[in-house]
Each structure stands twice: as structure tokens, then as C-alpha cells.
Amino acid sequence: MKKLYHSYFKIIVGSGIFILFQLINSPLLLAQERCAVPKILEEREKKYPELNTENFEKWLAHNKKIISDFSQRQQATVQIPVVFHIIHNGEPVGVGGNLLKSRIDRQLEILNEDFNRLNIDASETLEEFQELATSFEIEFIYAKQSPDGFETNGIVRVPGSQANYSYQERAVLSSESYWPAEDYLNVWVADLAGGSLGWAEFPVSNLAGLDAASNNRLIDGVTIDYVYFGENPDSPSFESKGRTATHEMGHFFGLRHIWGDGGCSIDDFCEDTPSASSSSSGCNLSKTTCGSLDMVQNFMDYTNDACMNIFTFDQKSRVRTVVENSPRRKSLTESKGLEAPPIFNRDLGLAEINSQFNGSCSGNFNPQIIIKNQGLFPIEEFSVQLFIDGILEETLESNETLESGEEKIAYFSLLNFDETGQYSLFYRVNLEGSFEDERLENNQKLEYYQKLEEASLPYEKKFQNNINPWFIRNPDGEETWKMFDVGLGVPFFDNRQNFGEIEQIVSPIFDFTSIDVPELSFIFAQVGDSIPNKISIYASYDCGRTFNDLIFTNTITDISTAYEIDSVFTPKHRLDWDTLNIDLNRLKNEESVCFSIVAENRLSNNFYINEFKVEESTKKNREIEIIRWDDINPLFCDEILEGKLTVKNVGRENINNFKIEIRKQDEIIKEYNLNEGVLVAGQESKIDILIPQPEQNIGEYEIRSITSSLEDEIINTFYLPFENNCFEELPPLRLSLRDNNNDNWFEFNPDKDAGWTYSSNNMAVNSNSSEITKESSEDWLVSPLMDVSNTNYLGLIFDISYRKAFRQAEKFEIFISNNNGRNFNTLIYSKSGDSLATSFGNDVSNQLIWRNEFIDLSPYVFKEKIRLAFKVTHDNGHNLYLKNITFFVGQSPPPPYPNTARPFVIYPNPAKNDLNLHLNLDIAEEGFFQILDMRGKVMLEFTEPKILNQFISFNVSQLADGMYILRLNTKRITASERFIIQK
């Protein structure tokens, strides 16, 4: 039964999460999908290669106790203090997730039975495995002492902030109720979403390089769905007998799934567990895979609870090694939670404060605190002091007897904080009279009151030099928001071990009744980690006391802006930043609103905010915008202008009537009143547009969309330049655009923004996308009308360069007309984002990376006349560059032209039967060719009506061996080249 170790199997230690999925379907599906461990661990190891199985197993082997005969050597039983956090939905005890104590008691008993081979069904272990079964000598007990030093029964009941919790929200769940993981085994019991039965944190080693992971403490523990917690005969899929907790507790102490999460070749690193090809379901005791009987009764398989009954010796050895060596496992065995709080005759302490952070609109605050007599003797005289920013504010004295175990609330006088700012409130309880308090460590508490500033709208805060008048709330005292040179940020990269820590900043207070249609926007920067930090914005309506209204969270909208890096991320480039706009229309009648921006550590890189604004939204209630002109026809040839105009309802309300006007200067040429049907907010619609043939040969139309509202008319403008252009060109043809000479090409820029220009530095056409901020703005380049009636084969080649930014993605398309250039409705090329890119990065590269593209246009030459349109759709990212846009006669791209300035080259040289002529002229023109012998006799001559970049093959088999001259004459140049015929 000994198994081979496979070092290539990978697992993350330190923060490996084991999830047990609940499925209501067939047992097979239950077995296959019950746990997502392999995928989760694979993702984490890619991010943190140092946290892998090989390193952990080396550490484990080094520290492992060699136990040759468990029957002769007994290990001392260790105790583990457990606190059960019952996170319910407000039900009374005994209803729903607010479980009875008797059920919690039974679950604790089951853990102790299973881990110590005291389970009633131990006798049902198959005979083949009886000798391998053992006790772990681990006892789980209720924590006896709370972190504050008060007596506890080890059960905490808390109403949760949400109905249920998924694995991705485990930090939220643990924040509902948490005791320090160094001293307490946290067990969260809640309604789990996503089909999860539970999960657990894997232990870490203190191996060099892995020690930082031991600080990942805020989610360390075990989580169980309340339906599968303890004994529950009504649980779906299988009857719960409390073994989900046993299974997850095994993970918590370092045990792997019995089949190694991989199959026969993958190890669970326990030598006495047989290899298995997969997980098991139900209770098939005869299941045999990998050439041996599977140990389906092992607690680390997926069988039904009633089938599980065994841990093995090597599993014990592994667990005990972890307990005695792993951080936050060893410390549990030495925890103060194992012991009842010390009993003193006289012990007065402060139990609870209002909240660590408080606020109010008026500046009024009622401080209060709970005092508890933790000692054996009654307390007859005591006082409580309140200090504001270190200065004694008030002392409350009491002569009432406080019996042992009794609590009392101390109410201080109403405070009024006139000035905006943060105030510290320090409470201290003192035993008065002739007796002394025998324990002083629980006699004081600290909280903060924040008087928020009232700010007017519109509001703009640029986080460049300071955070004022915003406030930081940092309850854990760890890393928090701080000012960087580039803005306000959280240094998550240097604190990636603190998974789940919450960092919060609070805004001033705003009166939203002063603004009609409010909108929030903020400029942010964050690299695209595999698990990005969670960023949320909450609204408070009680001046910062509570933040319960979620305005935004990036679990729905990804706000990564830059590519992942292995060092501290500092935004340096324009595209490292982006802006998010949030509609706040539902807040417009609220008189007092402040915001909390909450950043949650997900072990990713730093997060930054540069600017926060609240202002009138640019989005109107009723507005129609012209999006684009489909089947564009800006170049006409004795015909009307026609196409489809795409409009969009960009307002908040549904619109059932609007108007389209086509104007030439101030004259209305045509008008469309559209009142059929309803255009829903956000919906697009296409409108057929016909414009009579213009009287002028060149000009521009102004197209307006007009939407009427109660206040005024909303007008959006779109421009349609036109040109009577019937001039026909013959291929080959090349676009240059240099020196504003557009070679009979036409640019169509409907928004009159930057558009296509010639970049002399790059000798290419530049889209200027970086300067165009309008969403989905388009620009076109339209070719001349080409006569292809005498062309059998035609190709298009061009060089393209586009650097893809992380968040922005330009789109490039090529259309061809199928009606002699009247309009464009055949798409022949389309790429965007990653597929369009020739390089990646948010920075502007000093050197363009080019890719050559080829399109065979031969299928379209039967149309006799064709015209092409090149369209870029902008996203305000990097510019798109095009060069060497060339139509050539041929069906496949010619070979690369040699690096020479000569207008043509010939090869092979010497030639035998065929001679290739490769042309590369700057300007297309007529060419006269001659082949002469060395005496000047013309052997062959011909004329090409237009030459540019052709690739021509000659049959020279009729020429005798010897040297010849190929001569080319055009209006501009005369060139010749020698070649040899050698047969």
C-alpha cells in the first residue's frame, strides 16, 4: 500500500482553501464536484510559487516524528480551544441557522469521537484497514476565556450582514465575528452560497521563505454550512452525521484528500492510504482503483457521512507534526483560551464600547460603556473616567453594589463636538475605597469619534497632498490608506499576508437635495491580479455611524487598469488610471449622505485613488445620440447619398418620439419625425436615410438628433462630409497621406475630433485614438474607386502596429462595397483588443512593433468597381498605426522586398527558364520595360499601364546563355539591372 511521492504535484500551503461543495444531483456528480481545491491551489501557486507542495513536504519531513510502533509509544493528548461563531439571519435560537446549543454540543462530541477513534462505527472499518486505524490524541474543547479575558461558553451568536456567504466572501464572513487565530480555532457556521458545504484554511510551515504566510490570520479557521453542521437527518444529498466538520478539520491540520486531488499517480503524502483514481461517493466498499481496494471509509474522501469512520497512522503522524510545529496550530495548544480566566477576589473590567468608530450629524454623542464584576467578591465603590484626546472629561462614581458576574452600563453626559475632526475617547474603570483591583489589564478601552465636515455639491477632491477633510478608519492598526506621490492608496503589496483586512476612508457629508441628477466618479489605478483587491463604496444616512447601503463593488465591475507586475505597482502612465462613473439618482432626495470607500486585502498589489467627484450627471432624462452611420457613402458618383443611421437612447427614460434633421449650413435639407414605437433607455435603432444628390461637388452635412424635454431640446450633432468623387484608379495602388497629399483617399470624421493623420515620425497613418475620449467614436479611411474589370487577382497588404493597453481596446475593421462603391456592407476584416495588438503595455513604447496583414480580394473583382473603407473604433487607448497600405495584382502576398532603395530587383540571377521581377516604386505610374543583350539589341519589350509593387515572372527560356540588361523607363525614373541566363 505504500505510495510513490510525486514532487511535481502542486499545492499551495499557507492559504490553501479547501471547499466541500453540496450538490443535490446524482452521487457521481457529488463526488466529482464536491471540492474545488485543485483549481484554487493551482491559481494560488502560480501567484506565489514559493508556497508549493514540495517546500511544505520538505518542511514536514524534516519535522516529522518517526513513530515506528504506535501501540508501544503514546503521545500526550493535546487540547484545542474552539469558538463557534453562529452567523444567523436574525432568527431566534433554534430556528434556521441560529442553532441550538445541544446541536453544537453534539458536533463537538463528534469531532472528539472521530479524531480519537471513539466513534461508534469504528467497528465497521473494513478488516483490510483495521490495523491502520488510530487515534490522534487531540481533544477539542469549548474556549473557556474570551480574548478580553472574560469567561465564555465558546459560542458567539451574531446576525450576519448578508443572507449567505460564498467562498469568495469568506473574509466578509470572518469579519462578522473573529477571535485571534493564534489562540482560538475559529469555526464559522452560516448559510453558505454556491453549493458549498464548507471550507478550511490549510496550515503553513515556518520554513524560510514561507514564514510571511503565517501572518494570514484573519480568515484562518473552518467554515461549515449550518445544514451540514452536527447531526441533521433532514440534510439533502446525504444524512449529516457531523462528518463535514471532521473532513474540514482534517484539512485545517494538513491532511490532503485521500485520492491526492489527481488520480493514481498523485500522492496524498500518507504512505498507508491506498492510491485512488478519484474521489468516492455513496458507500461502495468494494471500489477498487489503481490496482488496490480504495479506502472509501476514510474521513478525507467524499463518501456519505454514514460511511466514514477511519483516520490512519500516517495521517496521525502528519497531523501531530503540524500541531507541534506549524504556526497558529502549535500556539493553539498553548492558548489562554484553554484555561478559565483567572479568578480574583476583586476584578473590575470594561466589557464593551459603543463601536471603535462613531459619528453623528449634529456633533452630539452619548458615550457609554459596560462594566463587569469579574471577581468573586461584590464591588461596592468604583469610578469610570472618560478622557477626550487625553484630557479628563468626566468621572462617574458609583456606590451601588455590583455583585460577582454582574454587569452595569455607565452613561456619560452628552458630548457636543463643534469642530470637524477626530477625537479619541479613552475609558478607564477604577476600584475605589480601601481595596485594589487585582487585575488592571482589562480596565481600559479606546474608541474614536469623527465629526465629519459638511461639503457642498458639486464636490471634487483631488488626493494629491493630503486626505483632509476625509477620515481614515483603521480598526486593526495594520496597513491602511496613506498618501503617495501619485495619490491616496493602500500598500497592499507589502502586506499581502493580511488576507481579508479591511481599510476604510470616510467622506464629508453631502446634501443631495441641492442637485437634480447626481453622479459619483472616481479615478483609480490597480493592476490586474488574478484575485484583485475588493473595492466597495457604501453610503451612510446617519453621518457615518453605519454604512449599510452598497453603492458599488468591483465583484461586478472589474476595475483593474494595468498589467500584473512582480513588484510594487505605482501608476506612471495615463492608461494606468481610469475613471468610473456611478449613477446616484436614487440619492437625490437625501439630505445627509456620506460615503465610505472600503478596500479589502485580497493579497494583490497596491490600490490608488487620485480623484473623487460628486456632480450633476451628464446623462439626461431624455436624449437621443447618433452613434454611427452604417453603409457609409461619403463619396458619391452621380447618385443620392444613402445609408442607415444608428441612434441610441442614452437617457434615463423611454422615448417614443424624436426628430432627425439633415442640414446644409443653416438650411434644413431633410427632416425625419420618428414617433412609431418606444425606444427603451439604452436601446439602439437603425434609421434609413436618403439625401438627394448634393448640388456641390464637395461639402458637409450636419445631422442633428433632437429630443424634446420639459425644459428644452437636447440636440446632438453628427457630421457627414461628402465629395462627388467618380475618379477611378487602376490597381496597383498605395496609400501614403504624407505631406497632406491623400492620394485620392478620403477621411470621414463624423465627430470632428482628432481623426486619422499622417505621422511623419513613423511614416504611417495614425488613428489618434489616445486623444479621442468620446465612447465608441469612429473614424474612416475610404479608398478611391478602383476599376478591377481587367484584374483577375487582387490582394491587399498593409502593416499595422497597435499597443494594447490593459483596460482599453481599439477595434479595426475593413469593409468593401458590393455595389461599385455606393455603400459598404461587406465586412472582410475585423480585429480588436488582444487579437489586434502587436505589443502590450500601458506605457507609450518608443519603438512600434509591426505586423504584416494580407487579404485576398480576388473574390470581389467580378464587381468591376470596388471601394474599401478602413474603420477604427476608439477606446481612448493607444494609437493605431497603418503603413504600406497597398493593393497589388496577385492572389498571394509577394515575398518581402529586399532592403534596397532600387526601384526593382530581379532574381534568380543567374536565371534558367524563369526570371522574377519585383517592383517597389513610391508612386504608381506607367512603365516601359526592355530586355537588351550586351550589344544593345532589344530582345523583348512591353508596357505596363500602371506599375507600383508588382511581382512579375518572365519566361526567358528562349534567350541564349549570356548576360542581359533589364531596363525600366517611367516619366520620373530610368533604371536598369544586369542578369545572366545560364542553362
Side-chain angles (χ1 to χ4, degrees), residues 487-687:
L488 183 66
V490 189
F492 281 136
F493 184 84
D494 293 329
N495 299 276
R496 287 185 295 173
Q497 69 273 14
N498 295 331
F499 192 102
E501 283 196 344
I502 302 283
E503 310 306 331
Q504 181 182 15
I505 53 172
V506 179
S507 78
I509 301 169
F510 307 104
D511 181 0
F512 275 84
T513 62
S514 64
I515 193 166
D516 291 332
V517 185
E519 181 179 82
L520 182 156
S521 65
F522 66 95
I523 300 175
F524 59 93
Q526 175 175 268
V527 298
D529 287 281
S530 56
I531 307 178
N533 300 308
K534 184 176 180 181
I535 309 300
S536 304
I537 300 178
Y538 293 86
S540 169
Y541 307 103
D542 55 12
C543 300
R545 278 199 300 272
T546 59
F547 290 91
N548 298 321
D549 189 359
L550 181 63
I551 299 297
F552 167 82
T553 176
N554 65 328
T555 56
I556 300 174
T557 304
D558 181 21
I559 58 172
S560 300
T561 62
Y563 291 97
E564 185 175 1
I565 58 176
D566 294 328
S567 57
V568 175
F569 167 62
T570 302
K572 301 176 182 178
H573 313 288
R574 173 183 72 90
L575 294 173
D576 287 340
W577 297 94
D578 207 346
T579 303
L580 190 70
N581 299 301
I582 304 170
D583 189 337
L584 297 181
N585 192 47
R586 63 187 178 88
L587 303 184
K588 63 182 180 181
N589 295 321
E590 297 290 342
E591 295 182 355
S592 178
V593 181
C594 62
F595 299 98
S596 167
I597 302 179
V598 179
E600 180 181 323
N601 192 337
R602 295 291 182 92
L603 310 185
S604 297
N605 218 308
N606 293 3
F607 174 79
Y608 301 89
I609 293 179
N610 180 266
E611 183 178 279
F612 181 95
K613 296 172 68 175
V614 180
E615 58 188 346
E616 191 81 39
S617 174
T618 57
K619 190 173 185 178
K620 310 299 182 184
N621 287 330
R622 292 172 54 83
E623 182 177 10
I624 295 293
E625 183 176 328
I626 302 173
I627 302 299
R628 59 185 173 273
W629 184 290
D630 297 299
D631 296 342
I632 186 175
N633 182 18
L635 303 182
F636 67 95
C637 185
D638 301 325
E639 70 259 3
I640 61 174
L641 297 179
E642 62 177 321
K644 293 182 182 296
L645 201 65
T646 298
V647 299
K648 183 178 181 179
N649 182 354
V650 295
R652 302 173 185 277
E653 301 176 359
N654 297 341
I655 297 175
N656 55 16
N657 62 84
F658 60 94
K659 184 166 57 175
I660 299 292
E661 284 184 355
I662 300 175
R663 291 172 168 256
K664 183 71 171 63
Q665 296 178 343
D666 293 331
E667 178 185 359
I668 298 178
I669 303 299
K670 199 153 188 178
E671 187 175 78
Y672 294 83
N673 290 292
L674 301 156
N675 53 14
E676 297 181 2
V678 174
L679 195 59
V680 177
Q683 183 181 4
E684 293 185 359
S685 178
K686 292 184 184 295
I687 303 169

Side-chain angles (χ1 to χ4, degrees), residues 84 103 120 171 267 316 328 470 573 589 692 804 832 867:
F84 293 98
R103 186 157 157 190
I120 297 175
D267 204 352
K316 173 182 180 175
R328 285 203 313 275
W470 290 58
H573 313 288
N589 295 321
K804 169 69 174 64
S832 64
R867 205 192 285 271

Side-chain angles (χ1 to χ4, degrees), residues 395-412:
T395 300
L396 299 179
E397 296 182 350
S398 175
N399 295 318
E400 298 180 11
T401 300
L402 197 63
E403 299 293 340
S404 176
E406 186 179 356
E407 295 180 349
K408 180 180 180 179
I409 301 177
Y411 298 95
F412 290 89

Side-chain angles (χ1 to χ4, degrees), residues 102 111 165 311 397 406 502 579 589 619 693 907 909 953:
S102 59
L111 286 172
Y165 304 83
F311 281 124
E397 296 182 350
E406 186 179 356
I502 302 283
T579 303
N589 295 321
K619 190 173 185 178
Q693 181 178 339
Y907 52 87
N909 192 3
S953 293

Side-chain angles (χ1 to χ4, degrees), residues 126 280 373 414 534 761 876 919:
L126 293 177
S280 305
N373 183 0
L414 177 68
K534 184 176 180 181
N761 291 337
N876 198 218
L919 292 157

Side-chain angles (χ1 to χ4, degrees), residues 21-183:
F21 281 104
Q22 169 189 346
L23 292 174
I24 311 301
N25 300 323
S26 69
L28 177 60
L29 286 176
L30 183 65
Q32 289 176 333
E33 301 182 30
R34 194 166 166 179
C35 190
V37 171
K39 182 177 180 181
I40 295 168
L41 298 184
E42 181 181 356
E43 291 177 356
R44 286 186 174 270
E45 182 167 338
K46 286 180 180 178
K47 192 166 186 179
Y48 304 109
E50 70 274 15
L51 300 179
N52 57 42
T53 295
E54 184 175 2
N55 286 340
F56 180 71
E57 294 302 328
K58 286 180 180 178
W59 169 86
L60 192 65
H62 176 74
N63 290 281
K64 198 171 185 179
K65 308 302 181 184
I66 307 301
I67 305 173
S68 59
D69 188 353
F70 284 103
S71 63
Q72 297 179 12
R73 179 177 176 181
Q74 296 293 322
Q75 288 181 298
T77 297
V78 295
Q79 290 185 327
I80 304 293
V82 182
V83 55
F84 293 98
H85 304 275
I86 309 301
I87 313 299
H88 55 86
N89 291 320
E91 307 97 331
V93 176
V95 177
N98 200 353
L99 303 177
L100 289 170
K101 185 176 184 299
S102 59
R103 186 157 157 190
I104 304 171
D105 290 342
R106 179 58 188 139
Q107 178 64 83
L108 193 65
E109 290 176 355
I110 292 170
L111 286 172
N112 284 314
E113 291 169 357
D114 291 347
F115 272 77
N116 294 288
R117 193 64 178 162
L118 299 174
N119 45 309
I120 297 175
D121 52 4
S123 60
E124 298 177 13
T125 302
L126 293 177
E127 183 179 352
E128 291 87 338
F129 303 129
Q130 279 283 355
E131 293 183 356
L132 299 175
T134 188
S135 165
F136 283 5
E137 279 84 46
I138 291 178
E139 181 184 4
F140 300 95
I141 67 169
Y142 282 118
K144 298 178 180 180
Q145 180 180 168
S146 72
D148 287 337
F150 292 108
E151 185 178 5
T152 179
N153 66 354
I155 300 174
V156 180
R157 300 180 185 271
V158 177
S161 61
Q162 53 193 58
N164 49 48
Y165 304 83
S166 66
Y167 151 71
Q168 291 84 357
E169 298 167 317
R170 63 196 185 282
V172 177
L173 175 60
S174 64
S175 67
E176 306 282 14
S177 181
Y178 170 83
W179 287 10
E182 294 79 10
D183 294 320

Side-chain angles (χ1 to χ4, degrees), residues 302-341:
Y302 277 179
T303 44
N304 295 345
D305 277 16
C307 191
M308 296 178 174
N309 57 45
I310 179 176
F311 281 124
T312 69
F313 278 99
D314 209 45
Q315 285 177 321
K316 173 182 180 175
S317 177
R318 186 178 179 88
V319 167
R320 290 299 301 236
T321 301
V322 165
V323 168
E324 295 172 21
N325 293 278
S326 179
R328 285 203 313 275
R329 299 300 178 265
K330 181 179 180 181
S331 62
L332 291 176
T333 67
E334 303 164 349
S335 166
K336 67 178 183 178
L338 293 171
E339 301 177 358

